[in-house]
Amino acid sequence: MGNSATWVCDGWNGKACSHFSGVQTVSMGEVYSWGASGLVSLFSFNITIVAQQQSGTTSSTVSWLSSVSVAGSGVCSYSIPHGDFVGGSVEVRDKLNAAIGFSPNGSLIEWNCSDSSSPYNVSWRTPAATASVVWSQDSGFESNLTQQHLTGTITVTNPSAENYAGLTYSVSAPSGFTPSASSLSFDVSAGSSASANVTASGSGLSASWGSGFVQSSANPTYAGGLAWTEKSLVVNNSAGTAFSNIIVNASSELRSGWNCSASSSISVPAIGYSNAGFVQCSKGGVITLAEGGWRTNTSLSNNLVLQHLWETASGTNADTVAYANVRASVSSPSGNLAAKSNEAVSWTDISVAAGGSWSKTATVDSDWLNESSSSSRIGSIEKTTLVVGNTTSALFDAVKSSVSFDDSFVSTALFLRVQYASGQDVTPSSNCPSQSSFTVSGDVWTACKLDSDGDGKTDGFEFIFPHFSTWTVEGGGSQGSSPENEPTRGRSNSSASPTPTPNPSATSSPPGNESGSLDGIDIRVPSEIAPGYQTVYVFDAGSPASGDVEIIGPDGKSVWRTLASDGAFGFFFDKEGEWTIKYGNHSKKINVAREREPLPSVAQLGSSNDSPVGGATGLAAAGGDPLWMALILLLVLAAVLSWYFLVYATLHVEKKFSGETVTLKVVNRNAELRELELTDVAPEEYGAREFSEPPELGETVLGTSLKWKRENLPKGGEWIVSYKLPGAKGKLKHASVVGRTAKGKEAKAASDEVSL
């Protein structure tokens, strides 16, 4: 640092200069004032002054030093050149670094000086520079949970009026990080700032995963659907700066056997990061849902307009995690007939422990039952027929209903009957609300007589269905003066239809049927028929009749049929004996018997209208002539062969039972047959099913009639049908088959009964 000085003697005593004063200027533009005084011998003395910055950091004041050399002794004075020097920081030390006392007077100091202690060092301090640093994430490098990268900007500010050079800044990175440089040096002009950058790497983040999985708070869990669990992630941040795009590898934290997802990166604020559901895992079938089946709520009143149903929904939890607020829902049975749409019952509050179970009860109210009602009046009988059905999967029981009729017409022979294999009478004797009880095939029916208009006469029946599939119920009575409540026993249901207007033009009767008539009513069916299916016609005054017909079997059991528009009904007469067909007050008896065609007797073959009384036969007339006897035997043989080929050999049917299967085999042993009908009867209690060919179904007093039809069967051809009859016991009725030859001749055959 160069300098120049001007010296002036202002104390000459004739021998020596007792006081000098001057001004020294250094190259940085700083001006130093100095002075010395004292008595000096005849030899001269010299004073040298140098002022320079000694030290400086960004964390302390800046030190300055001036060196004063003297020759001789006297009082030295020195003026501090920095007006912003720090008070109390001025020191004067001799050449032995011993502190010398001085007298301060503002920026001027004075002390006793001599060449023996010279040179003297005068020091002082000016204000410290200030430094600040801002750390942020270094986006030029990838950061993860174990290593992050920072960049820091350091700014040094000089508050002094002096220029500072070589100020040292010691770099300190956040905890866990190592800076790229330990210190930096700054030159800072008076009143200005200087900046520099530094980097650091390390980890200020510490991550901790949840100890296990718990129920997810972000996704709902459904019974019968997906169960959701989650695992937490907590990240502490000691770096004091925020991070973004921190790569997270959660592969080791996923749940085995579950469908899991987690973010691949996160942002961590300066205060840290916490996510209770960082890992989300789902799995089906964890919490199950099983429905117990809808059934009638019998604690409430149920009828054909409104039914109250309930069912239990339940399930189990196969997880080691407990769940709360689990959701579940069940839908009411389909086939809702009410105006409102199908209802659903939902829950959102199901709690189930780990490995535990849950249960809820659902209730719905609507109308699911189909029903149709019709009334008819035939002669003196009026009845109302109610047909109800359940096409849903729900179990309906204890459903109340009623049938009504005109009590101004019906006054006697009241009846209420329900459909089973044969008609079952459940006519009550008690007036509502008192109930009469009936047990039919294990079902308990309750019923009572109604008097809806309060006139003291029964005008209907109220009853309760014990359970539901499809039911036909008939209620009514007869016109007359007999006492009321006289039940007609042993009848079954039928599907009634309103009485149509007779067709006067339909006056022809089917050919070949015998007609039983009384007061214009003709029941047209042969008086002698073989077991099997038969079509019966009923005419009223030459026109097809309409309404219901009662068929009474040899055992006294009854079934009912509704006449078609042509006055006909079909029925399978499956039991030998006397049957009665009743229409209104008219009836006809027929005999059902298997055909037994006897072999022609010799007497019949040889009989003659000219034989004497007593019946002389051809054999007798032959008088034992061998030629005549041979001729007669040939005639007998011809008759037998004719019977075999025309009757026996034409058609054959065989019925077998094996395991649960009934097999019917028809064999045509002669010419081609047409319009074949194969008929069988299956006991109703065993439920015929799984037909190899779908039959036409009907009902008889002994069971379900099954009828198959086929257009033709060639000579030597076979026709085989089968069906399942599980659990069958006892004896199975014979099957029958009928067909016609090309010339219209009827061929029939029947199987033997099968004992099981």
Side-chain angles (χ1 to χ4, degrees):
M1 183 180 296
N3 60 82
S4 62
T6 301
W7 303 88
V8 178
C9 179
D10 54 9
W12 182 257
N13 60 8
K15 294 182 178 180
C17 186
S18 62
H19 187 270
F20 293 88
S21 64
V23 176
Q24 182 181 21
T25 302
V26 298
S27 61
M28 291 185 67
E30 297 167 333
V31 178
Y32 301 92
S33 298
W34 58 271
S37 63
L39 298 177
V40 183
S41 63
L42 293 177
F43 64 88
S44 63
F45 68 93
N46 184 41
I47 300 176
T48 302
I49 301 175
V50 177
Q52 62 182 7
Q53 178 184 332
Q54 294 299 296
S55 66
T57 67
T58 58
S59 60
S60 62
T61 55
V62 178
S63 176
W64 296 84
L65 181 66
S66 288
S67 180
V68 178
S69 298
V70 299
S73 60
V75 176
C76 294
S77 63
Y78 186 79
S79 179
I80 305 299
H82 301 149
D84 59 350
F85 73 92
V86 178
S89 65
V90 179
E91 287 185 341
V92 178
R93 292 181 178 273
D94 63 13
K95 68 179 181 180
L96 299 177
N97 201 33
I100 303 299
F102 62 89
S103 298
N105 184 13
S107 62
L108 180 67
I109 60 172
E110 294 180 338
W111 72 94
N112 294 323
C113 57
S114 67
D115 56 359
S116 62
S117 298
S118 178
Y120 293 92
N121 291 324
V122 180
S123 64
W124 64 94
R125 292 181 176 278
T126 53
T130 61
S132 63
V133 60
V134 177
W135 292 98
S136 62
Q137 183 179 359
D138 189 346
S139 59
F141 297 89
E142 182 182 281
S143 295
N144 53 47
L145 290 176
T146 57
Q147 185 176 46
Q148 304 88 50
H149 299 274
L150 299 176
T151 181
T153 299
I154 302 168
T155 302
V156 177
T157 301
N158 180 4
S160 173
E162 322 304 330
N163 295 328
Y164 289 164
L167 294 180
T168 301
Y169 176 79
S170 296
V171 180
S172 177
S175 174
F177 289 85
T178 301
S180 57
S182 60
S183 64
L184 296 175
S185 179
F186 291 87
D187 292 337
V188 190
S189 300
S192 63
S193 301
S195 298
N197 292 326
V198 67
T199 61
S201 61
S203 181
L205 304 180
S206 58
S208 60
W209 295 92
S211 59
F213 280 87
V214 297
Q215 182 182 358
S216 172
S217 59
N219 297 291
T221 290
Y222 288 88
L226 290 179
W228 284 90
T229 57
E230 64 186 13
K231 180 181 280 190
S232 64
L233 172 63
V234 176
V235 180
N236 294 319
N237 186 356
S238 62
T241 185
F243 292 92
S244 62
N245 198 32
I246 297 296
I247 305 301
V248 178
N249 183 2
S251 60
S252 62
E253 304 298 329
L254 305 183
R255 195 171 188 192
S256 177
W258 290 59
N259 183 21
C260 298
S261 63
S263 298
S264 60
S265 64
I266 61 173
S267 295
V268 182
I271 60 174
Y273 172 90
S274 178
N275 187 344
F278 185 80
V279 179
Q280 294 287 325
C281 297
S282 65
K283 187 177 182 181
V286 175
I287 300 180
T288 60
L289 168 61
E291 296 186 51
W294 292 101
R295 63 178 309 116
T296 314
N297 184 355
T298 55
S299 63
L300 301 174
S301 177
N302 296 273
N303 52 51
L304 294 181
V305 177
L306 179 65
Q307 301 94 49
H308 307 276
L309 300 180
W310 71 276
E311 79 165 357
T312 298
S314 60
T316 58
N317 177 13
D319 201 359
T320 56
V321 174
Y323 291 84
N325 299 320
V326 176
R327 304 181 184 187
S329 63
V330 293
S331 296
S332 65
S334 60
N336 195 329
L337 304 176
K340 52 188 172 181
S341 61
N342 284 356
E343 299 178 12
V345 179
S346 301
W347 301 277
T348 59
D349 59 348
I350 298 172
S351 295
V352 55
S357 60
W358 66 275
S359 178
K360 289 285 188 178
T361 299
T363 59
V364 291
D365 306 315
S366 194
D367 181 13
W368 290 272
L369 299 177
N370 296 285
E371 76 233 35
S372 63
S373 179
S374 61
S375 298
S376 64
R377 184 179 293 176
I378 302 174
S380 62
I381 299 176
E382 178 181 315
K383 72 174 179 179
T384 297
T385 302
L386 175 66
V387 180
V388 294
N390 170 26
T391 59
T392 75
S393 59
L395 299 177
F396 290 90
D397 49 17
V399 176
K400 183 182 296 185
S401 187
S402 63
V403 294
S404 60
F405 41 81
D406 185 0
D407 62 1
S408 65
F409 180 85
V410 174
S411 60
T412 186
L414 302 180
F415 62 87
L416 178 66
R417 53 183 176 244
V418 295
Q419 174 189 11
Y420 280 87
S422 59
Q424 296 294 332
D425 181 74
V426 292
T427 307
S429 59
S430 56
N431 297 317
C432 297
S434 297
Q435 300 285 323
S436 298
S437 180
F438 304 85
T439 300
V440 182
S441 297
D443 300 330
V444 177
W445 290 78
T446 57
C448 60
K449 295 189 294 185
L450 287 171
D451 180 11
S452 57
D453 54 9
D455 62 357
K457 295 187 293 183
T458 299
D459 53 17
F461 298 104
E462 182 180 271
F463 50 90
I464 296 177
F465 293 101
H467 56 81
F468 249 90
S469 55
T470 299
W471 290 107
T472 301
V473 179
E474 295 177 333
S478 300
Q479 183 183 31
S481 58
S482 301
E484 194 181 17
N485 302 333
E486 178 186 341
T488 301
R489 302 293 179 181
R491 294 179 174 177
S492 73
N493 62 291
S494 68
S495 299
S497 58
T499 303
T501 302
N503 182 3
S505 63
T507 58
S508 61
S509 61
N513 282 354
E514 301 174 12
S515 173
S517 63
L518 178 64
D519 298 334
I521 301 298
D522 291 344
I523 301 176
R524 301 180 180 180
V525 63
S527 297
E528 296 279 345
I529 62 173
Y533 187 83
Q534 186 75 35
T535 300
V536 180
Y537 293 84
V538 180
F539 284 81
D540 185 354
S543 297
S546 61
D548 291 344
V549 175
E550 183 180 12
I551 304 104
I552 305 172
D555 53 4
K557 294 182 179 180
S558 299
V559 292
W560 291 73
R561 288 289 183 270
T562 299
L563 296 175
S565 59
D566 60 354
F569 72 92
F571 189 76
F572 189 89
F573 294 88
D574 56 356
K575 193 170 187 178
E576 295 183 81
E578 185 179 74
W579 293 70
T580 302
I581 301 174
K582 297 182 66 176
Y583 177 76
N585 295 324
H586 309 281
S587 63
K588 180 176 182 178
K589 296 184 181 298
I590 61 174
N591 184 53
V592 177
R594 298 187 66 176
E595 293 186 18
R596 299 178 178 85
E597 296 195 18
L599 292 175
S601 66
V602 175
Q604 289 173 327
L605 291 173
S607 63
S608 170
N609 291 334
D610 298 329
S611 300
V613 177
T617 67
L619 290 175
D625 189 316
L627 181 60
W628 275 104
M629 291 185 66
L631 180 60
I632 291 172
L633 289 175
L634 287 174
L635 291 175
V636 171
L637 179 59
V640 171
L641 292 175
S642 175
W643 172 84
Y644 175 82
F645 286 107
L646 295 181
V647 179
Y648 171 77
T650 301
L651 200 57
H652 175 73
V653 60
E654 182 181 49
K655 182 174 184 177
K656 291 183 177 181
F657 182 83
S658 177
E660 295 182 345
T661 303
V662 176
T663 302
L664 305 178
K665 181 178 179 180
V666 178
V667 179
N668 180 12
R669 293 171 170 165
N670 206 332
E672 179 184 18
L673 292 176
R674 304 172 184 176
E675 301 175 11
L676 288 92
E677 291 186 0
L678 173 62
T679 308
D680 195 14
V681 177
E684 185 176 16
E685 61 267 26
Y686 302 125
R689 65 195 69 176
E690 299 183 33
F691 299 96
S692 61
E693 295 181 20
E696 295 178 6
L697 300 177
E699 61 177 279
T700 73
V701 294
L702 296 180
T704 302
S705 68
L706 313 172
K707 180 190 291 186
W708 294 269
K709 294 183 179 181
R710 182 165 175 161
E711 291 184 0
N712 59 73
L713 186 63
K715 179 179 179 180
E718 294 183 351
W719 179 20
I720 300 175
V721 297
S722 63
Y723 61 91
K724 292 291 183 68
L725 198 64
K729 298 178 181 179
K731 182 177 291 187
L732 300 182
K733 297 294 183 181
H734 58 76
S736 64
V737 63
V738 61
R740 294 185 181 276
T741 66
K743 296 182 179 181
K745 181 176 179 61
E746 188 177 75
K748 297 181 180 180
S751 73
D752 293 328
E753 293 183 336
V754 178
S755 297
L756 306 181

